[in-house]
Amino acid sequence: MSASLLLPLALLIPILLLHSFPASVSAQRGGSGSAPRWQTLSGNSPIVVARGGFSGLVPDSSSAAYQLTQLTSAPDAVFWCDLQLSKDSFGLCLPDVKLDNSTDIAQVYQGRQNTYAVNGVRQTGWFAMDFNSTDLSTVALAQGVFSRSQKFDSNLFPILTPDDVTALKPAGFWLNVQHDAFYAQHNLSMRSYVLAASRRMVINYISSPEVGFLTSISSRFNPRITKLFFRFNGFDDVEPSTNQTYGSLRSNLTFIKTFASGILVPKTYIWPLDASNYLQPSTSLVLDAHKAGLEVVATDFYNDAVLSYNYSYDPVSEYLQFVNNGQFSVDGVLSDFPITPSAAFNCFAHMGQNASDKVNTLVITKNGASGDYPGCTNLAYQKAISDGADVIDCPIQISQDGVAFCQSSINLIDTTTAAESLTSLSTNVPELKGDGIYTFSLNWTQIQGLTPVISNPFPSYQLVRNPKERNAGKLVSLADFLVMAKDAGSLSGVLINIENAAYLMEKQGLAVIDAVETELTKAGYDNQTALKIMVQSTNSSVLMKLKDKKQYELVYAVDETIGSADPSAVSDIKNFAHSVVISKESVFPENDAFVTRMTDVITKLQKADLPVYVQTFSNEFASQPWDFFADINVELNTYILGTNISGVVTDFPETPNRYKKNRCLANLDNVPPYMAPVQAGSLLGLVQTPSLPPAQAPNPPLTENDIAEAPLPPVGTRPTADSPPGAGATPPPSPSGQPKGAAAGFVVSSVAILFTALSLLLH
């Protein structure tokens, strides 16, 4: 526990120069205008307090966590230390009075657990006060949140003292004294330690949930140097000094002002949630506190948690709710992911309704705004348009009576409640991967009567999408979709996605491509230039059939996860397509949720003048590798600035639309660290060898055989009522002799992040 264990920050500063961006990024350059006006007590920007450093990624209160905060977050970010005491009164930065979850002490000192009453609740575990500082010098920090990566635990980070942390020269230092009364019961004095520490280091903030502790030290600190904050625990918890609940103390802010400069409150004190996890109206707490002259810092901000559904799983939206709501702003936030509030406050707040795009990247929807409403419904498309999507998509299906409509799956069981009422229509179609209730088995009137279901792609994480609207909206015909798009007035194009054309034409007698062209003509799309018409398919045969349609942008969707692209394959694509869609993992391959490298796929396609779109960007943290810090905006930033892609495909179009407008992109030659792309593979490089995941073979390259297909078959005869849906000839083989399958679901996986220098620390 010595400052000598820390990597000097001076060694890390040159790594900031590793940020580099493609010169061809098209952007509007210029200043960000005058500084925004904040509704904080001081009128200044809210502070970012990093709880134990960057504890959302590496172990809480480790040297790496604090230094990573300095490298990625706002320059005035404050380091937070939860203060504990050892048996010999050494101060320790540890997140809890028990060391079980945050260290490896249970393995180092087996059998030395104890049971104590902490705030009246008996707890069993390894307590810091049972060990002297020499004992604890052999104990290493560990990630205490089991849903986060444990792979950095093998780096054996030592426990730090406040002296170690302040040796890093943070912009601000915050000591949180959570259990003064508990330590006093065991003849250890937090007061004595804090007063002694303040004589050798600058402590900018001290907080405690105990009135007695704060009143005992308030006269010893100059509030212009050290601000005291009263920390509120749960509303019904009892404060030990006054024997009042924190809920009752909330109504006596003038009393708190007699010994504190501010209050530290759970975020639900400000924006309560109902039982269904939706926001309720804000309380008056911030305004009341400001009226009493108290600053307000909100706590409990985690990117990798179930956020209120109002935020659509975008953590930036949550931070903006507390600082950019037009009524008030908190004076700071306590976060495990300090990069996110740094960007929220300095890049996204106060953008205004008329902010212009700073980068020219298309926002293309995936089944409309399907993160907020059932995909391909009228509500999903209306939300996508209002959210600022550039292009809305319609995955084409076709009914028994030949009506083309928008739906993400040919199997209605996947997207509607059809299985609850139409089980008699379930059939087995080997060409379509088995049992289902297929669109071509129902007429359009029957399909219109179905109830849609919102997608929930991450059930194991309990990340449910907008449950209040789980079955909202109506399915949309292609004709209605085209009218809606034309009437919107804000779109730049529509994307028509055609799959399973060969099967539908040959086996079902449904001329799906003809149906699409007919509806485009009827809607007047042949005689307009305002909306770009994009036609996408994983089947080269579909695009070859449309090759002569000069008004279409033909988009080839690569349904494999690839690691490169053969020149011959790229040349073949140029023969029938104008642009390409690839998966995220074809750009940044993953291993055990870590990015391993950046492929050359985009480079090769762009050199052939093929614009590249990447899919699918989802807000949920479970869709992102660890490298992106559980923040969709960090992921978007890495793809857009780091690879210069032409478009993103997303089920939450509001997020990339807002990203494109943020102030920090106004000058791409001078972006702050929290708006710089992640350096591919750098995070995995920090993992110690014993904890590394097994090496994986690189994904195969895209070849000519992956692309080439026989021409589409002629339209066959519609099956009779007695014919099984799969009756007829086998699908035409590809040149390799194997039928080309339906598009494989792209793996939804999981700034240069400056980890190169940190590796000196971690190894």
Side-chain angles (χ1 to χ4, degrees):
M1 290 176 286
S2 166
S4 63
L5 295 170
L6 306 175
L7 182 65
L9 184 60
L11 295 179
L12 301 178
I13 291 175
I15 306 303
L16 291 170
L17 303 178
L18 291 178
H19 302 329
S20 61
F21 310 100
S24 58
V25 171
S26 177
Q28 296 180 5
R29 298 179 183 262
S32 57
S34 59
R37 297 173 62 91
W38 292 95
Q39 293 177 294
T40 57
L41 184 62
S42 66
N44 297 324
S45 173
I47 61 170
V48 174
V49 186
R51 194 186 69 81
F54 209 129
S55 55
L57 182 64
V58 290
D60 191 304
S61 305
S62 65
S63 50
Y66 289 120
Q67 291 182 292
L68 186 56
T69 300
Q70 288 177 310
L71 292 170
T72 63
S73 306
D76 57 353
V78 176
F79 288 5
W80 167 283
C81 165
D82 278 298
L83 183 64
Q84 314 299 336
L85 293 178
S86 66
K87 182 187 293 186
D88 49 352
S89 295
F90 266 69
L92 310 167
C93 292
L94 289 162
D96 190 65
V97 68
K98 294 198 309 176
L99 280 61
D100 307 22
N101 286 345
S102 60
T103 73
D104 64 357
I105 195 167
Q107 289 75 47
V108 177
Y109 295 111
Q110 296 182 27
R112 288 188 59 178
Q113 64 264 47
N114 260 321
T115 301
Y116 297 107
V118 182
N119 290 345
V121 178
R122 292 182 66 79
Q123 298 188 35
T124 298
W126 284 257
F127 290 79
M129 68 178 190
D130 288 334
F131 301 87
N132 61 40
S133 54
T134 302
D135 296 332
L136 295 175
S137 66
T138 63
V139 174
L141 296 169
Q143 178 57 260
V145 180
F146 296 133
S147 60
R148 296 171 180 171
S149 177
Q150 313 294 307
K151 291 194 176 296
F152 299 108
D153 294 358
S154 60
N155 292 85
L156 302 178
F157 299 112
I159 298 172
L160 303 184
T161 67
D163 298 82
D164 294 332
V165 179
T166 55
L168 286 169
K169 303 187 184 305
F173 182 57
W174 190 310
L175 274 183
N176 180 56
V177 179
Q178 194 71 15
H179 298 291
D180 172 63
F182 170 73
Y183 281 104
Q185 292 169 4
H186 299 278
N187 300 316
L188 291 168
S189 174
M190 281 288 189
R191 181 178 186 275
S192 296
Y193 176 84
V194 169
L195 293 177
S198 68
R199 291 191 286 271
R200 63 179 186 270
M201 68 181 72
V202 175
I203 306 173
N204 304 95
Y205 304 89
I206 299 172
S207 59
S208 176
E210 299 178 16
V211 171
F213 173 74
L214 292 176
T215 55
S216 75
I217 65 171
S218 61
S219 63
R220 303 293 296 273
F221 287 93
N222 182 344
R224 287 175 295 188
I225 299 173
T226 302
K227 295 180 180 181
L228 304 186
F229 272 68
F230 178 63
R231 184 175 192 177
F232 281 75
N233 288 339
F235 208 77
D236 297 322
D237 293 340
V238 176
E239 193 282 317
S241 309
T242 63
N243 206 33
Q244 296 182 53
T245 65
Y246 289 95
S248 63
L249 287 169
R250 178 259 176 269
S251 62
N252 198 357
L253 297 177
T254 54
F255 165 64
I256 294 173
K257 178 60 179 172
T258 63
F259 60 85
S261 299
I263 57 175
L264 191 68
V265 298
K267 60 189 181 184
T268 52
Y269 270 61
I270 301 169
W271 287 98
L273 302 175
D274 64 18
S276 300
N277 201 36
Y278 287 89
L279 287 178
Q280 295 181 299
S282 63
T283 69
S284 62
L285 176 60
V286 176
L287 294 174
D288 293 343
H290 285 175
K291 184 176 180 180
L294 291 166
E295 295 182 18
V296 181
V297 173
T299 69
D300 303 333
F301 287 91
Y302 317 103
N303 290 8
D304 55 349
V306 179
L307 307 180
S308 167
Y309 299 123
N310 298 79
Y311 304 130
S312 297
Y313 291 106
D314 178 3
V316 165
S317 291
E318 181 176 38
Y319 287 109
L320 294 179
Q321 186 78 8
F322 285 80
V323 303
N324 198 179
N325 56 62
Q327 300 173 347
F328 60 81
S329 171
V330 297
D331 302 277
V333 295
L334 178 64
S335 174
D336 288 19
F337 295 84
I339 188 174
T340 303
S342 296
F345 301 162
N346 296 301
C347 301
F348 291 95
H350 308 296
M351 288 198 309
Q353 294 295 320
N354 298 317
S356 59
D357 290 350
K358 307 300 188 299
V359 290
N360 294 330
T361 304
L362 285 179
V363 175
I364 305 169
T365 65
K366 185 76 168 181
N367 310 320
S370 55
D372 292 306
Y373 290 98
C376 301
T377 60
N378 59 329
L379 295 180
Y381 289 126
Q382 290 166 11
K383 181 72 162 56
I385 293 167
S386 65
D387 284 347
D390 297 306
V391 177
I392 58 173
D393 71 308
C394 175
I396 295 297
Q397 308 301 338
I398 196 159
S399 66
Q400 189 180 58
D401 50 348
V403 176
F405 65 100
C406 305
Q407 192 51 252
S408 61
S409 175
I410 196 170
N411 186 350
L412 292 166
I413 292 176
D414 297 337
T415 56
T416 73
T417 59
E420 298 175 10
S421 57
L422 298 173
T423 54
S424 62
L425 293 178
S426 179
T427 56
N428 183 280
V429 182
E431 298 94 330
L432 300 178
K433 300 186 178 179
D435 293 333
I437 300 174
Y438 293 101
T439 58
F440 48 76
S441 298
L442 288 77
N443 62 43
W444 176 233
T445 300
Q446 291 173 302
I447 291 171
Q448 281 183 297
L450 295 174
T451 300
V453 177
I454 200 168
S455 63
N456 284 307
F458 309 107
S460 61
Y461 290 85
Q462 298 182 332
L463 300 178
V464 178
R465 290 179 169 177
N466 200 7
K468 282 187 177 179
E469 307 295 345
R470 179 179 185 272
N471 300 118
K474 298 294 183 182
L475 302 186
V476 176
S477 69
L478 174 59
D480 289 341
F481 168 86
L482 294 172
V483 171
M484 186 186 307
K486 186 177 284 189
D487 290 347
S490 59
L491 297 172
S492 61
V494 295
L495 185 147
I496 311 299
N497 189 4
I498 302 174
E499 301 296 340
N500 303 305
Y503 172 82
L504 291 169
M505 293 167 67
E506 184 175 25
K507 297 295 188 67
Q508 296 299 321
L510 293 168
V512 59
I513 297 176
D514 292 345
V516 168
E517 292 192 272
T518 297
E519 293 299 341
L520 285 167
T521 300
K522 286 168 59 177
Y525 277 70
D526 290 348
N527 301 313
Q528 58 85 48
T529 57
L531 289 175
K532 176 165 58 175
I533 305 167
M534 304 168 71
V535 179
Q536 175 181 312
S537 183
T538 60
N539 299 115
S540 59
S541 56
V542 170
L543 302 182
M544 285 293 293
K545 183 175 176 63
L546 296 169
K547 185 177 178 180
D548 294 333
K549 298 291 183 179
K550 303 302 183 184
Q551 72 272 37
Y552 297 169
E553 177 183 336
L554 302 180
V555 185
Y556 181 58
V558 179
D559 56 357
E560 299 92 357
T561 299
I562 57 175
S564 187
D566 289 351
S568 57
V570 175
S571 178
D572 279 359
I573 293 172
K574 287 280 290 182
N575 288 330
F576 60 82
H578 307 107
S579 55
V580 181
V581 173
I582 60 176
S583 68
K584 292 192 300 184
E585 201 166 349
S586 292
V587 183
F588 292 114
E590 291 180 40
N591 188 357
D592 202 13
F594 286 89
V595 168
T596 59
R597 65 188 182 94
M598 180 178 171
T599 71
D600 62 2
V601 174
I602 290 179
T603 300
K604 288 188 171 182
L605 293 171
Q606 289 175 339
K607 282 185 177 178
D609 294 322
L610 286 167
V612 180
Y613 311 121
V614 177
Q615 65 177 6
T616 301
F617 289 87
S618 300
N619 284 4
E620 291 96 339
F621 69 88
S623 71
Q624 301 137 19
W626 302 115
D627 304 66
F628 301 130
F629 308 134
D631 185 341
I632 175 61
N633 295 280
V634 175
E635 183 178 42
L636 286 167
N637 194 52
T638 300
Y639 279 86
I640 293 174
L641 288 193
T643 70
N644 195 23
I645 57 177
S646 297
V648 296
V649 181
T650 176
D651 34 21
F652 293 92
E654 182 178 19
T655 303
N657 177 54
R658 185 179 59 201
Y659 163 81
K660 293 197 303 177
K661 302 177 187 300
N662 84 76
R663 294 192 310 275
C664 294
L665 299 181
N667 183 355
L668 295 182
D669 295 324
N670 189 29
V671 296
Y674 40 83
M675 195 52 65
V678 168
Q679 189 176 13
S682 57
L683 186 58
L684 187 62
L686 304 183
V687 177
Q688 294 290 315
T689 301
S691 297
L692 284 171
Q696 293 181 339
N699 293 320
L702 185 68
T703 67
E704 288 180 274
N705 285 342
D706 296 320
I707 297 169
E709 294 177 338
L712 289 172
V715 178
T717 304
R718 289 285 294 130
T720 64
D722 297 330
S723 302
T730 57
S734 69
S736 64
Q738 297 296 323
K740 187 170 177 70
F746 290 133
V747 178
V748 184
S749 47
S750 27
V751 239
I753 288 298
L754 320 183
F755 284 127
T756 303
L758 269 181
S759 65
L760 299 175
L761 169 67
L762 301 179
H763 286 290

